[in-house]
């Protein structure tokens, strides 16, 4: 669809109610995925801390260690909670500026939101992989590389299932859109 360059700003609403609803749903999914992944992150931190606690010489070091790591957890989680989707949209805009020729930025963002529909289920699988790694490394004593390589490969393939499908959606958007001169 070709936009009318002479249309008044009131008649051109870049974010319609449907677009806002899809964005709100994507924001909920990002936040839900964060909550899912916080559980294995905290479990990993507790297991790591059990190894690090004997290495901390005194109560002062132990307190600093826990406070600093607690603050890092809080800041990271808050940043993802409040800025996660916005940063993904900013990255989408940057990539659209580089590669988007035919499809509009709103179409690209809609494709992002559609891919994020699978984020919670992907986060559950990622959390399972993370828990498997923590149990194998900390409780079963499996060597770091022996467990990290297969779990790392699986985790990267899981993440690739999201971003490769997003890249494919953007590619097909660009292929399907017809320039005004061609139509």
């Amino acid at each position: 669809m070709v936009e009318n360059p002479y249309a008044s700003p009131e008649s051109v609403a870049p974010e319609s109610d449907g677009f806002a609803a899809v964005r709100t749903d994507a924001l909920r999914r990002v936040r839900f995925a964060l909550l899912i992944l916080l559980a294995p992150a905290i479990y990993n931190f507790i297991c790591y801390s059990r190894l690090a606690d004997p290495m901390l010489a005194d109560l002062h070091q132990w307190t600093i260690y826990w406070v600093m790591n607690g603050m890092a957890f809080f800041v990271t989680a808050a940043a993802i909670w409040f800025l996660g989707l916005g940063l993904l949209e900013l990255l989408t805009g940057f990539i659209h500026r580089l590669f988007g020729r035919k499809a509009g930025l709103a179409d690209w963002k809609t494709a992002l939101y559609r891919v994020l529909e699978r984020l919670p289920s992907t986060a559950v699988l990622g959390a399972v992989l993370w828990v498997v790694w923590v149990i194998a490394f900390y409780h079963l004593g499996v060597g770091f590389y022996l467990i990290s390589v297969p779990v790392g490969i699986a985790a990267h393939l899981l993440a690739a299932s999201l971003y490769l499908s997003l890249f494919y959606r953007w590619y097909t958007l660009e292929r399907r859109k017809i320039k005004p001169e061609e139509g």
Side-chain angles (χ1 to χ4, degrees):
M1 181 173 127
V2 179
E3 293 180 16
N4 181 0
Y6 303 106
S8 69
E10 293 82 26
S11 67
V12 179
E15 293 192 12
S16 66
D17 289 338
F19 186 82
V22 172
R23 186 188 187 283
T24 302
D25 188 45
L27 180 61
R28 263 192 229 111
R29 291 175 190 278
V30 168
R31 290 178 173 174
F32 187 58
L34 169 67
L35 293 176
I36 291 168
L37 290 171
L38 273 177
I42 292 169
Y43 179 49
N44 186 36
F45 175 67
I46 290 169
C47 289
Y48 176 76
S49 297
R50 289 177 59 211
L51 288 178
D53 282 348
M55 293 185 283
L56 300 173
D58 59 8
L59 182 61
H60 180 69
Q61 277 184 323
W62 183 85
T63 305
I64 290 173
Y65 170 79
W66 277 90
V67 168
M68 295 302 290
N69 280 299
M71 286 177 19
F73 262 103
F74 177 77
V75 168
T76 303
I80 294 170
W81 187 270
F82 293 109
L83 304 173
L85 183 60
L87 291 174
L88 289 174
E89 290 171 333
L90 189 66
L91 184 62
T92 298
F94 177 74
I95 295 171
H96 179 264
R97 184 172 282 238
L98 291 177
F99 300 107
R101 301 289 182 253
K102 300 175 186 175
L105 180 58
D107 294 331
W108 277 48
K109 284 184 178 180
T110 302
L112 169 69
Y113 304 147
R114 295 294 178 211
V115 167
L116 290 178
E117 289 175 357
R118 295 192 331 242
L119 188 60
S121 58
T122 305
V124 167
L125 294 173
V128 168
L129 285 172
W130 200 345
V131 168
V132 164
W133 185 90
V134 170
I135 290 171
F137 183 71
Y138 291 110
H139 301 294
L140 301 177
V142 177
F144 178 79
Y145 292 111
L146 189 61
I147 191 62
S148 294
V149 170
V151 170
I153 289 171
H156 281 85
L157 289 174
L158 189 60
S161 73
L162 288 175
Y163 66 77
L164 289 178
S165 66
L166 177 61
F167 294 159
Y168 180 73
R169 283 177 186 253
W170 287 343
Y171 173 76
T172 56
L173 270 174
E174 289 297 316
R175 297 280 300 174
R176 278 193 298 205
K177 292 291 179 173
I178 299 173
K179 288 186 178 179
E181 303 89 63
E182 296 171 358

